[in-house]
């Protein structure tokens, strides 16, 4: 089906295409100077000391978790069996690295308005065994990090962020993704900026940065600076060319993706302004529909998309709402993956649910979202009739 208002629009113009041709002309395609340049530009934009680009946001989540197993800092070091608290609503690859590294997963319910943690449920979920809280900033909306940090207080709990849907969002004048020890971003086609495929991990921790550099490329020493916190390097480049010190991966991005990223991050401030203008129109339009819950903004959202959750006492059916939206030209999807704890794949996890996850279940049953974009959506949103 062709939609008048799809979930995502192409944000490229001649600049991105010229950047690709420049890489082709140079003849160097794997990770190189253009990736490094984009990493520096990205860390400058979000306000982090370090940024490591990878081939997807999912890979970013994988390396974020992996890095905590290889640190020498016992205050943040993880081991198999450690307990990690997660929201019940997120994307699959928020959870898979936790399973793959043998961590105990605790699913916590979400707030129906913010779509992020139900803070009271989060408070009760924290135990003496909790080592990590994963904050997922859903659909562009920051978590209430002030309250999360109160819950953590002086406990030895590491806060990390899956910020793949929330580039440009802010909480208390700080960019999301930089509030936890590590944060991840995605540059898939439908996200705030697009580099074909791509992702990023940011941190202010120098040792974790060096670990990420090694894990990204085979676990070897070649991409580590001479003065690093992972392994002592010799000055013999031949000896260091195939020297492996960590059980890593090959998650390197393409040089083309780095070149495109440099163009996209320059455009992004204007993209973000338009997304917020679109959000104002959407929220104003939705005021007359008192049986539908829209996302309550915490801090400053970057409005990935617009959620619609039918209240449980409404006579509406989600199926009818989907048909109506499709008929009027709107493509729509479930809110991320709904209540992920109800997916069959969870049978492989070492996991438990904190209470009944009733709000996540309602999202599953009654929730959907439509796309927001970097272009003016006034025509689409004013024509929205539910």
């Amino acid at each position: 089906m062709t939609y008048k208002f799809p979930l995502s629009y192409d944000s490229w113009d001649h600049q991105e295409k010229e950047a690709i041709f420049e890489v082709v002309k140079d003849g160097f395609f794997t990770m190189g100077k253009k990736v490094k340049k984009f990493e520096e530009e990205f860390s400058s934009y979000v306000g982090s000391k370090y940024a490591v680009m990878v081939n997807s946001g999912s890979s970013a989540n994988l390396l974020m978790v992996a890095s905590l197993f290889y640190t020498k800092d016992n205050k943040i070091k993880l081991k198999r069996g450690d307990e990690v608290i997660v929201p019940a609503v997120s994307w699959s690859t928020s959870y898979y690295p936790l399973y793959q590294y043998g961590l105990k997963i605790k699913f916590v319910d979400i707030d129906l308005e913010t779509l992020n943690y139900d803070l009271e449920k989060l408070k009760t979920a924290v135990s003496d065994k909790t080592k990590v809280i994963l904050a997922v900033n859903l659909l562009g909306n920051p978590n209430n990090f002030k309250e999360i940090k109160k819950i953590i207080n002086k406990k030895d709990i590491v806060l990390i962020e899956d910020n793949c849907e929330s580039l440009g969002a802010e909480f208390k004048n700080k960019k999301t993704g930089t509030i936890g020890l590590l944060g991840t971003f995605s540059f898939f086609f439908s996200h705030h900026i697009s580099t074909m495929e791509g992702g990023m991990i940011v941190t202010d921790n120098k040792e974790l940065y060096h670990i990420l550099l090694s894990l990204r490329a085979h676990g070897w020493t070649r991409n580590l600076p001479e003065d690093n916190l992972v392994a002592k390097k010799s000055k013999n480049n031949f000896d260091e060319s195939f020297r492996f010190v960590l059980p890593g991966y090959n998650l390197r991005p393409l040089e083309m993706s780095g070149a495109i990223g440099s163009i996209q991050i320059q455009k992004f401030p204007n993209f973000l302004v338009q997304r917020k203008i679109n959000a104002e129109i959407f929220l104003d339009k939705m005021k007359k529909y008192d049986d539908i819950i829209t996302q309550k903004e915490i801090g400053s959202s970057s409005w990935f998309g617009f959620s619609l959750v039918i209240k449980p006492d409404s006579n509406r059916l989600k199926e009818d709402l989907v048909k109506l939206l499709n008929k009027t030209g709107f493509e729509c999807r479930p809110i991320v993956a709904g209540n992920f704890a109800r997916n069959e794949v969870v049978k492989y996890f070492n996991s438990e649910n904190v209470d009944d996850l009733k709000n996540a279940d309602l999202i599953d049953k009654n929730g959907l979202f439509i796309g927001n974009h970097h272009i003016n959506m006034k025509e689409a949103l004013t024509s929205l009739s539910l």
Side-chain angles (χ1 to χ4, degrees):
M1 181 185 292
T2 300
Y3 296 98
K4 188 176 181 182
F5 311 116
L7 285 176
S8 55
Y9 284 101
D10 186 2
S11 60
W12 290 13
D13 58 26
H14 66 95
Q15 296 176 80
E16 285 83 0
K17 293 169 187 175
E18 288 169 4
I20 291 173
F21 293 142
E22 186 179 331
V23 173
V24 174
K25 184 179 177 181
D26 288 346
F28 189 88
F29 300 107
T30 191
M31 182 180 73
K33 292 179 180 178
K34 295 187 186 300
V35 167
K36 181 64 177 174
K37 179 174 179 285
F38 176 45
E39 289 173 337
E40 292 169 353
E41 291 165 340
F42 191 85
S43 63
S44 176
Y45 172 75
V46 299
S48 66
K49 287 184 180 178
Y50 310 108
V52 176
M53 190 181 185
V54 287
N55 60 357
S56 72
S58 296
S59 295
N61 283 340
L62 175 61
L63 288 197
M64 174 170 69
V65 173
S67 69
L68 295 173
F69 278 78
Y70 302 112
T71 175
K72 299 179 182 73
D73 185 346
N74 287 325
K75 287 186 178 180
I76 61 174
K77 188 178 181 66
L78 294 181
K79 64 182 186 303
R80 291 180 180 272
D82 282 345
E83 182 178 282
V84 179
I85 294 176
V86 300
V89 178
S90 187
W91 189 245
S92 60
T93 48
S94 301
Y95 310 112
Y96 290 168
L98 308 175
Y99 153 71
Q100 289 155 352
Y101 274 86
L103 296 166
K104 169 68 182 293
I105 300 169
K106 286 177 84 170
F107 289 103
V108 173
D109 208 0
I110 52 94
D111 181 279
L112 277 179
E113 293 188 329
T114 68
L115 303 182
N116 291 323
Y117 276 121
D118 179 321
L119 293 167
E120 288 303 313
K121 298 291 186 183
L122 177 61
K123 191 182 299 182
T124 62
V126 172
S127 74
D128 292 340
K129 297 179 180 178
T130 303
K131 298 296 183 183
V132 174
I133 292 176
L134 172 63
V136 180
N137 303 308
L138 214 73
L139 296 182
N141 200 29
N143 276 266
N144 188 330
F145 288 101
K146 180 180 178 182
E147 294 303 316
I148 290 175
K149 287 184 175 182
K150 279 184 184 178
I151 292 168
I152 292 174
N153 197 8
K154 295 180 180 179
K155 301 180 181 74
D156 289 330
I157 296 175
V158 177
L159 175 64
I160 58 177
E161 294 177 77
D162 180 335
N163 199 58
C164 288
E165 294 182 346
S166 298
L167 175 61
E170 294 185 5
F171 185 83
K172 303 288 185 183
N173 297 315
K174 190 171 176 63
K175 293 280 196 304
T176 55
T178 69
I179 296 169
L181 180 64
L182 298 129
T184 59
F185 299 80
S186 172
F187 311 135
F188 183 62
F189 177 75
S190 60
H191 288 221
H192 290 81
I193 63 174
S194 172
T195 63
M196 297 190 285
E197 293 276 3
M200 194 80 78
I201 312 119
V202 301
T203 186
D204 287 345
N205 185 297
K206 190 174 184 179
E207 186 206 15
L208 292 176
Y209 169 58
H210 291 158
I211 291 169
L212 291 166
L213 291 177
S214 179
L215 289 174
R216 172 176 63 179
H218 310 291
W220 61 20
T221 60
R222 188 190 302 181
N223 300 117
L224 291 172
E226 185 176 331
D227 181 18
N228 74 84
L229 299 172
V230 174
K232 187 174 181 179
K233 291 182 68 172
S234 73
K235 295 185 179 181
N236 186 321
N237 290 334
F238 184 85
D239 289 345
E240 296 295 337
S241 58
F242 291 150
R243 180 182 166 215
F244 303 95
V245 292
L246 293 175
Y249 307 89
N250 181 7
L251 303 177
R252 292 173 297 187
L254 295 174
E255 191 74 337
M256 287 181 184
S257 294
I260 295 163
S262 288
I263 304 297
Q264 287 271 293
I265 200 66
Q266 291 172 28
K267 293 180 175 181
F268 180 64
N270 289 332
F271 290 174
L272 186 57
V273 168
Q274 186 61 60
R275 282 178 173 271
K276 291 184 176 184
I277 292 170
N278 293 340
E280 289 176 6
I281 298 169
F282 170 76
L283 292 174
D284 185 63
K285 181 74 175 180
M286 292 303 299
K287 284 178 182 176
K288 65 180 181 179
Y289 299 108
D290 57 7
D291 65 336
I292 294 178
I293 304 168
T294 54
Q295 193 175 24
K296 178 183 177 182
E297 184 176 21
I298 300 296
S300 178
S301 176
S302 56
W303 295 103
F304 180 92
F306 302 130
S307 62
L308 305 166
V309 181
I310 303 168
K311 291 182 179 179
D313 58 356
S314 173
N315 292 323
R316 291 179 189 265
L317 295 175
K318 182 175 70 173
E319 293 76 13
D320 293 338
L321 186 55
V322 170
K323 288 177 183 177
L324 179 61
L325 286 164
N326 288 169
K327 187 177 179 180
T328 52
F330 286 90
E331 186 178 9
C332 48
R333 286 285 190 277
I335 295 176
V336 198
N339 184 354
F340 198 83
R342 306 303 183 204
N343 277 274
E344 293 175 41
V345 70
V346 172
K347 68 185 178 185
Y348 297 106
F349 293 7
N350 175 16
S351 67
E352 68 176 88
N353 299 342
V354 177
D355 293 336
D356 55 13
L357 307 181
K358 64 178 182 178
N359 291 340
D361 281 336
L362 185 65
I363 292 291
D364 239 354
K365 181 183 177 184
N366 286 1
L368 58 88
F369 84 95
I370 58 175
N372 186 18
H373 308 292
H374 62 285
I375 60 174
N376 190 315
M377 291 185 66
K378 187 173 183 180
E379 176 197 353
L381 296 172
T382 52
S383 69
L384 191 64
S385 180
L386 305 178

